[in-house]
Amino acid sequence: MTPPPEGPLGDPAELIRAVSAGSNDALGALYQRYSGKVFAIAYHIVGSRAEAEDILQDVFVGLPRLLRRYEDRGRFDSWLARVVSRTALMGLRRAKPTLSLPVADIAARTEPVLERLAVGEALAALPLLLRQVFLLHEVEGYDHDEIAEMLGIRVGTSYVRLHRAWHHLRRALRVE
Amino acid sequence: MLFHPRFRTLVDWAAGRMAEPARRRVSDHLAQCDRCRTRVARIREIRHQAAAAAAVELPPGALEAVLARRAAGNEVLLPSDPGPNLTRSPARVAAGVLLVLGVAGTLFAAVPGLREWLAERFGGKAAPVAAGVTLVDLDRPIAINVIDADSSLHVRFAIVDDSIVVVRAEGGAAEAVFRTSARGVDVRGARRGELIVEAPRFASLTVSINGRPVMVLDRGRIRLPDGDSLLTGSTVYLTPRP
């Protein structure tokens, strides 16, 4: 993640105030700081790069207005994650997602390609609801309480989905 | 530990999310079991490879696109923060149930006529939800059905930045009866006046008058029966045919 900018806009509270007041500089700083996380969450939930890009743009276009009503009651990044996940889930309700794991990107990297392709294919074959929880938990590092908040499910459901996802992966990758 | 730990136990152990003393027991087992050590190594490898496979790079030019849309006056109404979810643990659910029961008991004792009102309410006779206003949590596509509307009823459609659909009636229509259901809201007996539907941009809902769909909000557009499509934020006046 890009480090916060120097100067007064490095202070999160000041940044939020400036964005809600309509400052494009502040919005740019906020984008630098959080766009990676926003894009990853959206992508893991909808499973489509194009949809995730739409969500990324929509979130940052809509943030200045939404931040006018923001109450500083907890971590801003947790609040933002909930906003992103709700936006993504509403998009999912409107259209069936398509999966586009970046296989070309995978092949371009230096680690063993076949192994990663196998894991990528196994991930792609996971049912969406299981893949969402798996990626938010195992890749993004959110705990089950946070995932439950983000996806509007119970904590127990998050646990169950994670372990079902592992069960699918284990079978697909033939882990003895 | 006499038996091999379950696969899910090894997943939790490998992620460091197992509490003592269970963690210690699994660690002791792993120290002497090649098979489970191999499994743990494989689990870590899969997690690592999954992170690499699912990694996405930010699309180039997204910030410029955002700023251009803002400069063009484009507005996006995001769903508001749902806040902390209070129904996540059994203890919280139980506390909530006890609180509701306590309040209900107090109301029964304190409010004269409440028992009779409830009997009438659940005996099948309709009553307004809240003086001609009803709120519907937006967790699914909903329908707003206006039943027995006469020809002078107007329906106004407004987009708001909230995640709740608000239906309210003004003028003589405020006498109408609102009934909520899992699928949305029925407005019965609306007369001369105006029915106002406020919904978030992301809402998906249909407004029907006397059984005939007259407006559909979907994907940020309002569709009318004649095929016209309006941007959200529009105000639409409809006069149902008798």
Side-chain angles (χ1 to χ4, degrees), chain A residues 24 31 49 57-58 64 69 79 82 86 111 115-116 137-138 148-149 153-154 163 170 176, chain B residues 7-8 11 17 39 42 47-49 52 56-58 62 69-70 77 81-82 85 87-88 161:
Chain A
N24 277 345
Y31 181 93
R49 193 179 167 85
Q57 283 193 25
D58 281 353
R69 297 188 304 152
W79 176 88
R82 290 197 296 271
R86 287 194 63 149
E111 293 177 51
E115 170 63 15
R116 242 170 322 130
H137 191 277
E138 301 292 4
E149 294 280 359
I153 59 178
R154 294 184 182 282
H163 284 295
R170 181 187 175 190
E176 297 301 323
Chain B
F7 186 80
R8 64 163 52 181
V11 167
R17 36 174 199 251
R39 276 181 160 190
R42 186 77 175 115
R47 185 178 284 128
H48 179 68
Q49 304 290 1
V56 283
E57 293 192 359
L58 271 174
R69 284 174 62 181
R70 279 177 49 76
L77 300 175
D81 176 32
N85 192 331
T87 62
R88 293 301 183 225
D161 55 348

Side-chain angles (χ1 to χ4, degrees), chain B residues 112-128:
Chain B
L114 180 60
R115 196 184 302 268
E116 291 73 18
W117 181 86
L118 284 175
E120 181 185 39
R121 174 75 177 88
F122 292 104
K125 189 171 178 180

